[in-house]
PDB file of all heavy atoms in Angstrom:
ATOM      1  N   CYS A 133     126.062 117.495 128.313  1.00 91.00           N
ATOM      2  CA  CYS A 133     127.427 116.978 128.539  1.00 91.00           C
ATOM      3  C   CYS A 133     128.509 117.953 128.110  1.00 91.00           C
ATOM      4  O   CYS A 133     129.697 117.661 128.272  1.00 91.00           O
ATOM      5  CB  CYS A 133     127.615 115.640 127.827  1.00 91.00           C
ATOM      6  SG  CYS A 133     127.749 115.782 126.034  1.00 91.00           S
ATOM      7  N   GLY A 134     128.133 119.097 127.539  1.00 90.00           N
ATOM      8  CA  GLY A 134     129.147 120.097 127.167  1.00 90.00           C
ATOM      9  C   GLY A 134     129.785 119.854 125.805  1.00 90.00           C
ATOM     10  O   GLY A 134     130.720 120.567 125.437  1.00 90.00           O
ATOM     11  N   GLY A 135     129.310 118.862 125.064  1.00 92.00           N
ATOM     12  CA  GLY A 135     129.851 118.600 123.720  1.00 92.00           C
ATOM     13  C   GLY A 135     129.726 119.838 122.832  1.00 92.00           C
ATOM     14  O   GLY A 135     128.766 120.598 122.956  1.00 92.00           O
ATOM     15  N   VAL A 136     130.716 120.029 121.960  1.00 95.00           N
ATOM     16  CA  VAL A 136     130.724 121.215 121.092  1.00 95.00           C
ATOM     17  C   VAL A 136     130.744 120.771 119.632  1.00 95.00           C
ATOM     18  O   VAL A 136     131.532 119.909 119.244  1.00 95.00           O
ATOM     19  CB  VAL A 136     131.956 122.107 121.392  1.00 95.00           C
ATOM     20  CG1 VAL A 136     132.065 123.245 120.391  1.00 95.00           C
ATOM     21  CG2 VAL A 136     131.860 122.667 122.810  1.00 95.00           C
ATOM     22  N   TYR A 137     129.860 121.369 118.831  1.00 96.00           N
ATOM     23  CA  TYR A 137     129.735 121.021 117.403  1.00 96.00           C
ATOM     24  C   TYR A 137     129.731 122.309 116.592  1.00 96.00           C
ATOM     25  O   TYR A 137     129.728 123.416 117.138  1.00 96.00           O
ATOM     26  CB  TYR A 137     128.426 120.259 117.159  1.00 96.00           C
ATOM     27  CG  TYR A 137     128.325 118.992 117.965  1.00 96.00           C
ATOM     28  CD1 TYR A 137     127.835 119.014 119.278  1.00 96.00           C
ATOM     29  CD2 TYR A 137     128.739 117.778 117.436  1.00 96.00           C
ATOM     30  CE1 TYR A 137     127.761 117.856 120.030  1.00 96.00           C
ATOM     31  CE2 TYR A 137     128.666 116.612 118.176  1.00 96.00           C
ATOM     32  CZ  TYR A 137     128.172 116.650 119.476  1.00 96.00           C
ATOM     33  OH  TYR A 137     128.109 115.499 120.218  1.00 96.00           O
ATOM     34  N   HIS A 138     129.690 122.141 115.268  1.00 96.00           N
ATOM     35  CA  HIS A 138     129.574 123.306 114.385  1.00 96.00           C
ATOM     36  C   HIS A 138     128.662 122.911 113.232  1.00 96.00           C
ATOM     37  O   HIS A 138     128.753 121.778 112.728  1.00 96.00           O
ATOM     38  CB  HIS A 138     130.954 123.739 113.874  1.00 96.00           C
ATOM     39  CG  HIS A 138     130.924 125.066 113.196  1.00 96.00           C
ATOM     40  ND1 HIS A 138     130.561 125.211 111.872  1.00 96.00           N
ATOM     41  CD2 HIS A 138     131.171 126.313 113.659  1.00 96.00           C
ATOM     42  CE1 HIS A 138     130.606 126.498 111.554  1.00 96.00           C
ATOM     43  NE2 HIS A 138     130.968 127.185 112.623  1.00 96.00           N
ATOM     44  N   VAL A 139     127.823 123.852 112.808  1.00 96.00           N
ATOM     45  CA  VAL A 139     126.828 123.506 111.783  1.00 96.00           C
ATOM     46  C   VAL A 139     127.469 123.111 110.447  1.00 96.00           C
ATOM     47  O   VAL A 139     126.859 122.409 109.657  1.00 96.00           O
ATOM     48  CB  VAL A 139     125.814 124.653 111.559  1.00 96.00           C
ATOM     49  CG1 VAL A 139     124.920 124.855 112.776  1.00 96.00           C
ATOM     50  CG2 VAL A 139     126.519 125.960 111.199  1.00 96.00           C
ATOM     51  N   ARG A 140     128.718 123.527 110.200  1.00 94.00           N
ATOM     52  CA  ARG A 140     129.381 123.130 108.952  1.00 94.00           C
ATOM     53  C   ARG A 140     130.611 122.259 109.189  1.00 94.00           C
ATOM     54  O   ARG A 140     130.778 121.230 108.541  1.00 94.00           O
ATOM     55  CB  ARG A 140     129.816 124.379 108.161  1.00 94.00           C
ATOM     56  CG  ARG A 140     128.674 125.098 107.466  1.00 94.00           C
ATOM     57  CD  ARG A 140     129.175 126.263 106.621  1.00 94.00           C
ATOM     58  NE  ARG A 140     129.973 127.195 107.400  1.00 94.00           N
ATOM     59  CZ  ARG A 140     129.454 128.121 108.221  1.00 94.00           C
ATOM     60  NH1 ARG A 140     128.155 128.248 108.333  1.00 94.00           N
ATOM     61  NH2 ARG A 140     130.252 128.917 108.910  1.00 94.00           N
ATOM     62  N   THR A 141     131.482 122.670 110.152  1.00 92.00           N
ATOM     63  CA  THR A 141     132.791 121.996 110.237  1.00 92.00           C
ATOM     64  C   THR A 141     132.827 120.802 111.195  1.00 92.00           C
ATOM     65  O   THR A 141     133.745 119.997 111.132  1.00 92.00           O
ATOM     66  CB  THR A 141     133.894 122.995 110.673  1.00 92.00           C
ATOM     67  OG1 THR A 141     133.512 123.583 111.927  1.00 92.00           O
ATOM     68  CG2 THR A 141     134.086 124.088 109.642  1.00 92.00           C
ATOM     69  N   LEU A 142     131.846 120.703 112.072  1.00 94.00           N
ATOM     70  CA  LEU A 142     131.860 119.574 113.023  1.00 94.00           C
ATOM     71  C   LEU A 142     130.409 119.194 113.335  1.00 94.00           C
ATOM     72  O   LEU A 142     129.894 119.474 114.417  1.00 94.00           O
ATOM     73  CB  LEU A 142     132.621 119.988 114.300  1.00 94.00           C
ATOM     74  CG  LEU A 142     133.083 118.875 115.232  1.00 94.00           C
ATOM     75  CD1 LEU A 142     134.041 117.925 114.517  1.00 94.00           C
ATOM     76  CD2 LEU A 142     133.770 119.455 116.461  1.00 94.00           C
ATOM     77  N   GLN A 143     129.800 118.538 112.329  1.00 96.00           N
ATOM     78  CA  GLN A 143     128.370 118.247 112.474  1.00 96.00           C
ATOM     79  C   GLN A 143     128.145 116.971 113.292  1.00 96.00           C
ATOM     80  O   GLN A 143     128.909 116.008 113.157  1.00 96.00           O
ATOM     81  CB  GLN A 143     127.753 118.062 111.088  1.00 96.00           C
ATOM     82  CG  GLN A 143     127.825 119.324 110.248  1.00 96.00           C
ATOM     83  CD  GLN A 143     127.389 119.087 108.807  1.00 96.00           C
ATOM     84  OE1 GLN A 143     127.406 117.967 108.314  1.00 96.00           O
ATOM     85  NE2 GLN A 143     127.029 120.155 108.128  1.00 96.00           N
ATOM     86  N   PRO A 144     127.094 116.961 114.109  1.00 97.00           N
ATOM     87  CA  PRO A 144     126.753 115.705 114.793  1.00 97.00           C
ATOM     88  C   PRO A 144     126.188 114.709 113.764  1.00 97.00           C
ATOM     89  O   PRO A 144     125.787 115.107 112.677  1.00 97.00           O
ATOM     90  CB  PRO A 144     125.669 116.145 115.780  1.00 97.00           C
ATOM     91  CG  PRO A 144     125.056 117.346 115.156  1.00 97.00           C
ATOM     92  CD  PRO A 144     126.146 118.039 114.372  1.00 97.00           C
TER      93      PRO A 144
END
Side-chain angles (χ1 to χ4, degrees):
C133 73
V136 173
Y137 301 86
H138 191 277
V139 292
R140 285 184 305 281
T141 57
L142 197 60
Q143 297 172 338

